[in-house]
Every structure is written in C-alpha cells, then in structure tokens.
Amino acid sequence: MTNRLLLIILLLLTLPAPDAPAASLTYKDKMGRTVTIRTPVKRAVLYETYELLPVTGAWDQVAGISRYAWDNDLLMALKPDLLRRIPAVGSAMDTNAETLLKLKPDVVLTWVVDPQVVRFLEQKGLPVIAVYPESVPELYDVMRMEGKLFGREKKVETAIAKMEEIFSLIRSRTAGIPAGRRKKALYLTGKPTKVNGRIGVTNDLFNMIGLDNAGREINERSAEVSLERIISWNPDLIFVWGSARYSAADLMNNPQWRYIKAIRNRDVHKEPKWGTWSPRLAPIALWMAATAYPERFRDLDLNKTIDRFYRDVYGIPYAKVRQIEK
C-alpha cells in the first residue's frame, strides 16, 4: 500500500459520518387530528403521560412538565432532583401558552379536557398531540406512540409485556365466574355522585375482572347522577378514584348511603393514587380483582407480585411507593 493511498484511507476514516435520514411519526390523536412529528424529539412538554417517563428514560428529552408531576410519587422516587430542574408549565387545564412558546417544544402531549386550548396552541405553531385512552388497547397505542416519539420503543414493549403478565394472571383467576355470581361494581370519581359509565378504561378493567358495571347504562366516560339512582343500582362493591378528595369512610359513614349493599357490607375501597394512563394500570387492576374476589387470590402475595412488577418495569422496589397494604 502506497503512502498516498494510506493517507486517503486515514482521511476517509476521520470524516464525520453522514446524517441518518430524519424519521417521523404520524399519529391520529383523540381529537381526530393527524399530527406528524420528527423523531426522536429532543424537547417535549408533557401535560399527560408523564408516568411513562420512568419507562422510556427520556428525562433529558423533556423541556417542560405538568405541575402535577411534581407531586407524583413514582417520579419523585426515581428522579427528585431532575424534576426540580424541569420547568413546570401549569396543567392541561391552565396552560400557559407564553411559557410554551418560549420553550420551543418539538411536541406538546396533553389530553382532551379543553379542545379550544389544543386548537389555540396549534394556531401558534406548536405541534400538539391530545390523548385520552378509553381501553387497555388504546393505552398501549398511546404508550407505543410515546416510545416512538422518544426513540425508546423497546423499553415500552417491555413494559407492555409486564402489564400483560398481570392481566393474564387476572383473567386466569376470574375466568368462568357464572353470570349470576358476578358482582356489581360502581366506580366513583371526583364527586361521590359522579360515576364512570360504560366507556373508558375502568369499564375495560371491570370486564377483565368479571365485574358487572353498575353504571353501564351511562353511555359516557362519566356522568353525575342522583344518589337515588345509585341506590336503585344497589352495587355490591364500590371503588373510589385514588385522587378523590373524599374517602371510603366518608361514604360508609354517611347515613344517606346506608341503603346500598356495598355500604352495609362496608365493601367500599379507595384505589391507590396512581395514574391509570401508565403501566401502573396493571397493579391497580390486580388490586381491584383481589378486592372483588378475594377467594380467588387468597394464595397470592399481592405485595410481592406488585414488587416484582415495579422492579421489572421501573427498577425500584415497591416499598418506595407502596400504597396497598394487603
């Protein structure tokens, strides 16, 4: 090999590699809008789905985050110092457009609580994706979308596989419950008289667990109803949203509710204060199933099963965020 040829080879080796072709994600969001985003994003703002951050590990790709994330037990357990360095940008219900424009995000992830805000941000030139998963498959779709946004698809698929392990466990233990022995369950949200209907993740979980949804005649995600209507449904058990500002005891000690079977039997349960638009939907479902049909899960160490899930999905012991004492 001549010296000249050797010099040419050395020069070629030191030249920078050509840029990889830009990738993009095209996604139809919950508002029916088709949004195209160049990926992987480097500056995302998360008003929702921030509980997926521990899965994707895309901490350095987040330029702003909902103020509610600062109170999230999972995020604080994993990255308390980093969260203090991520600017809070209000919430999906009090969005600060001026702050968002200064951050120059590649994408804003929010939910459909206020479609006018989404359209306003879009008019300002901000790429916005609005989500609202209403079933387990829709949640998986949102998770996979976020995995593609950050270039972390494999990590998301691992989390989904671990969720499916929990869901398969639930199905295997609740399969075959005769129609006449299925319990009637009611899910209450921000107000004691605001119930979940037959649209949404909760209804999906009830079907998986083998529960009849007492609010199934409500063809909406949720609706406020009269106490008399709840009494007429007479649910066997009641679940309360984890972030509700009232407790299970508040209902059980309210004499106006005493006519309901779940109240008389003290079968009212407040769920953990965990996000349901995240992998933590799986341990919530397991807790609900074990609460509804304890005889079918009597041999299962619930805390040990949830601990394994936390270690596999988040890399931390469940003890750091434990809220279930069974």
Side-chain angles (χ1 to χ4, degrees):
M1 182 182 297
T2 66
N3 289 338
R4 184 178 180 181
L5 181 58
L6 179 61
L7 180 61
I8 292 172
I9 293 172
L10 290 173
L11 285 172
L12 289 173
L13 290 174
T14 58
L15 288 174
D19 291 339
S24 64
L25 166 70
T26 298
Y27 187 78
K28 187 174 182 179
D29 75 358
K30 198 64 177 180
M31 290 175 58
R33 301 157 53 253
T34 299
V35 185
T36 299
I37 308 291
R38 290 189 63 179
T39 59
V41 297
K42 296 179 180 179
R43 297 183 59 77
V45 168
L46 303 180
Y47 282 115
E48 282 300 335
T49 72
Y50 46 78
E51 275 203 7
L52 288 179
L53 260 179
V55 174
T56 63
W59 303 95
D60 293 335
Q61 294 165 261
V62 177
I65 202 164
S66 168
R67 59 185 169 86
Y68 291 115
W70 286 24
D71 295 324
N72 185 276
D73 61 336
L74 177 60
L75 271 62
M76 295 305 293
L78 282 160
K79 297 283 184 179
D81 295 332
L82 182 59
L83 280 176
R84 294 190 187 101
R85 295 199 297 268
I86 300 176
V89 288
S91 74
M93 292 173 284
D94 56 6
T95 303
N96 189 322
E98 184 178 352
T99 300
L100 286 180
L101 288 169
K102 288 179 181 178
L103 289 174
K104 298 180 180 178
D106 301 320
V107 65
V108 178
L109 276 169
T110 187
W111 61 306
V112 295
V113 62
D114 194 339
Q116 290 184 340
V117 170
V118 173
R119 295 188 185 98
F120 174 77
L121 296 177
E122 189 177 40
Q123 290 169 1
K124 292 293 184 180
L126 295 176
V128 185
I129 296 177
V131 301
Y132 201 113
E134 294 180 315
S135 66
V136 172
E138 278 194 43
L139 174 59
Y140 289 166
D141 180 64
V142 170
M143 290 174 64
R144 287 181 170 121
M145 175 269 291
E146 194 154 329
K148 291 176 182 176
L149 279 178
F150 291 115
R152 310 294 178 101
E153 295 95 325
K154 289 184 179 179
K155 291 187 176 183
V156 168
E157 290 301 330
T158 297
I160 289 175
K162 294 301 176 182
M163 292 173 69
E164 275 299 303
E165 287 181 11
I166 297 288
F167 292 148
S168 295
L169 172 65
I170 294 170
R171 294 186 189 100
S172 68
R173 291 184 175 237
T174 60
I177 298 176
R181 298 188 63 183
R182 289 168 62 105
K183 293 184 178 180
K184 185 189 294 183
L186 184 66
Y187 189 98
L188 306 178
T189 61
K191 296 180 180 180
T193 51
K194 191 169 184 180
V195 307
N196 274 1
R198 65 169 178 263
I199 298 174
V201 170
T202 300
N203 190 67
D204 223 20
L205 295 188
F206 280 4
N207 288 333
M208 178 191 303
I209 293 167
L211 292 169
D212 288 333
N213 186 355
R216 64 184 178 275
E217 65 188 56
I218 306 295
N219 191 28
E220 300 178 60
R221 296 167 182 151
S222 62
E224 194 158 357
V225 301
S226 66
L227 177 57
E228 288 75 18
R229 196 171 182 184
I230 294 175
I231 291 172
S232 72
W233 292 337
N234 198 26
D236 297 303
L237 74 159
I238 296 173
F239 292 107
V240 178
W241 178 45
S243 295
R245 294 182 179 179
Y246 58 94
S247 67
D250 290 335
L251 298 181
M252 291 186 287
N253 295 331
N254 187 332
Q256 292 181 305
W257 288 66
R258 67 185 182 277
Y259 303 103
I260 299 171
K261 184 177 181 180
I263 300 296
R264 294 197 304 271
N265 294 338
R266 305 192 72 77
D267 214 348
V268 184
H269 312 274
K270 190 166 184 176
E271 74 178 13
K273 192 178 178 180
W274 297 344
T276 55
W277 292 354
S278 83
R280 293 211 278 186
L281 181 67
I284 286 177
L286 181 60
W287 165 78
M288 291 174 73
T291 300
Y293 300 111
E295 70 282 359
R296 291 176 175 258
F297 295 86
R298 192 165 287 122
D299 65 319
L300 182 73
D301 188 324
L302 193 64
N303 282 318
K304 186 176 180 179
T305 304
I306 295 175
D307 179 72
R308 186 165 58 249
F309 178 86
Y310 267 84
R311 291 177 187 273
D312 289 342
V313 176
Y314 301 119
I316 61 171
Y318 171 50
K320 285 195 171 185
V321 292
R322 181 167 170 170
Q323 294 184 29
I324 297 172
E325 295 304 325
K326 286 188 177 182

